[in-house]
Amino acid sequence: MGKNLDYHLEELRIALDSGDSRRVLPQVHDGETTILDVGCGIGQSLIALGTEGRRCIGIDVDEAAIAHGRKTFGDRLQLEVAGAEQIPLEAGTVDLAMCRVSLPYTNVPRALAQMRRVLRPGGRIWLTLHGRRTAQGYLGEAWQARSPVRMAHVLYILANGWLFELTGRVLPYVTGRYESWQSPQAVSRALARLGFEVAVRVEGRHTVVEGQLPPG
Ligand SMILES: C[S@@+](CC[C@H](N)C(=O)[O-])C[C@H]1O[C@@H](n2cnc3c(N)ncnc32)[C@H](O)[C@@H]1O
């Protein structure tokens, strides 16, 4: 967990520093009191958004990250070990569902459908993507590392991104875990199919996709 924990602590520092150009977080609108962060790590984004008067729920498959988050922020956050593909919340109970730098590691269509399920009418989804160029960058790293194992994984990521692009589906790797790249167009199509009105923008080095559900 050491490396992951260092990552989450660094992301917490970035998220708490409004002057840091790497900081990208959703604006919380008036009336959005129940916020879900999918792939939350230790809960860094929720803490940076502010928890006063809000129900802030985070899920992540990383047990050690959730344990650390509970120990540190357990009085402010509700953190659960769970996957994006099976969110342990009732339908229609969340105002804002966010997924920051985590969607690429999920079964994307299933994760989007689960976030849609837990959102209330008029609810909002906020995502950041990994583009094709990010995944292509991994190729050079794998080549430099002379690592056939990493190279095989990178080729899987690239192919899985194209699969999502062309079919809206992704496949797991031999480990059973998922990874892919996503174009804003493919994610927008998937969200539109789920009933969202979609907006895409670039913030710093992140592509942000937001979806709004119609009011009930
Ligand atoms: C790059 S980190 C991003 C953490 C945090 N959202 C942030 O912005 O700093 C990706 C996170 O997604 C989590 N993750 C990977 N696959 C997941 C899945 N299927 N469901 C939920 N979380 C997942 C990882 O454990 C990790 O904490």
Side-chain angles (χ1 to χ4, degrees), residues 29-86:
H29 297 171
D30 287 348
E32 291 180 335
T33 53
T34 302
I35 303 173
L36 168 68
D37 185 4
V38 174
C40 65
I42 61 173
Q44 56 263 34
S45 298
L46 293 168
I47 287 297
L49 287 175
T51 57
E52 187 75 34
R54 294 175 181 157
R55 181 181 178 211
C56 294
I57 308 155
I59 64 164
D60 200 294
V61 290
D62 184 336
E63 292 182 20
I66 292 294
H68 185 90
R70 280 189 181 147
K71 196 169 61 165
T72 317
F73 308 119
D75 53 335
R76 300 163 66 188
L77 305 179
Q78 180 186 329
L79 299 175
E80 310 287 345
V81 177
E85 297 79 6
Q86 199 157 10

Side-chain angles (χ1 to χ4, degrees), residues 4 7-8 10-12 15 24-25 37-45 59-63 65 82-86 98-107 111 126 128 130 177-178 206:
N4 289 349
Y7 169 87
H8 294 309
E10 175 64 6
E11 287 297 321
L12 176 62
V24 59
L25 287 172
D37 185 4
V38 174
C40 65
I42 61 173
Q44 56 263 34
S45 298
I59 64 164
D60 200 294
V61 290
D62 184 336
E63 292 182 20
E85 297 79 6
Q86 199 157 10
M98 62 177 289
C99 193
R100 184 188 181 278
V101 214
S102 303
L103 192 68
Y105 308 105
T106 70
N107 179 333
W126 182 99
T128 68
H130 275 180
R177 304 291 288 267
Y178 290 87
H206 294 276

